Amino acid sequence: MVMLSPLRPPSPALNVTPGTLRSAAATVVAFLTIAPFAPGHTLVVPVEQIDHWTDVPPALWARIGEVQLAVGAALMDAFSPNRVGSIIAGLEVPHCHVHLVPIESESDLSFANADPDPSAESLDDAAARIRAALRAAGHGAHTRLSVWLMDLD
């Protein structure tokens, strides 16, 4: 089970507000991006500052994968997309992170689709839908959380 709870990570690249989700092992966080390609666009990020995904130790990469599976399944349940796409780009922030995006086609996985100013209501709605799907799947430590936001400024 992926247990998630509030965290303020140590990495300066991850200036995350309280309400961010983290695994019980405190090694991986998952949160909504502030520039979503689509509602529910979530980032899965190791807490440890690692620039390139190819430098992530195998055990940590396995944990990132576990969190991706749990959140990806929740995105499928919450938004009913054709697929949940996954991107590792690494150019926007010098910290390894995986984008999980509810998509209808491959063209939905473009940074040109990023909404630079999503409404608080749309983020609140997406967070509530994902939390409900995670709870329904047995991941229950989300009840105290607010919207997951990432602030890179």
Side-chain angles (χ1 to χ4, degrees):
M1 175 170 23
V2 175
M3 296 299 295
L4 305 171
S5 59
L7 165 73
R8 202 176 265 285
S11 168
L14 279 179
N15 180 17
V16 180
T17 64
T20 295
L21 299 184
R22 73 169 180 139
S23 68
T27 58
V28 178
V29 293
F31 47 89
L32 293 177
T33 178
I34 59 168
F37 298 0
H41 180 169
T42 302
L43 303 178
V44 177
V45 186
V47 172
E48 180 182 348
Q49 176 65 47
I50 300 172
D51 187 6
H52 296 277
W53 72 270
T54 56
D55 295 331
V56 175
L60 179 56
W61 189 250
R63 185 66 183 142
I64 292 168
E66 290 173 355
V67 174
Q68 286 181 81
L69 287 171
V71 173
L75 291 172
M76 287 297 294
D77 290 344
F79 298 96
S80 301
N82 188 27
R83 295 275 192 268
V84 172
S86 178
I87 300 174
I88 304 170
L91 298 174
E92 346 56 278
V93 177
H95 189 124
C96 174
H97 58 284
V98 180
H99 296 258
L100 298 179
V101 185
I103 62 171
E104 298 305 320
S105 70
E106 289 178 359
S107 64
D108 296 337
L109 290 174
S110 171
F111 284 86
N113 295 331
D115 179 355
D117 191 28
S119 71
E121 295 79 16
S122 68
L123 294 173
D124 286 342
D125 177 66
R129 292 168 70 177
I130 296 166
R131 280 194 304 269
L134 286 166
R135 277 191 216 103
H139 307 291
H142 316 290
T143 55
R144 292 180 256 138
L145 298 174
S146 61
V147 175
W148 323 324
L149 294 174
M150 181 174 179
D151 180 4
L152 300 177
D153 292 332

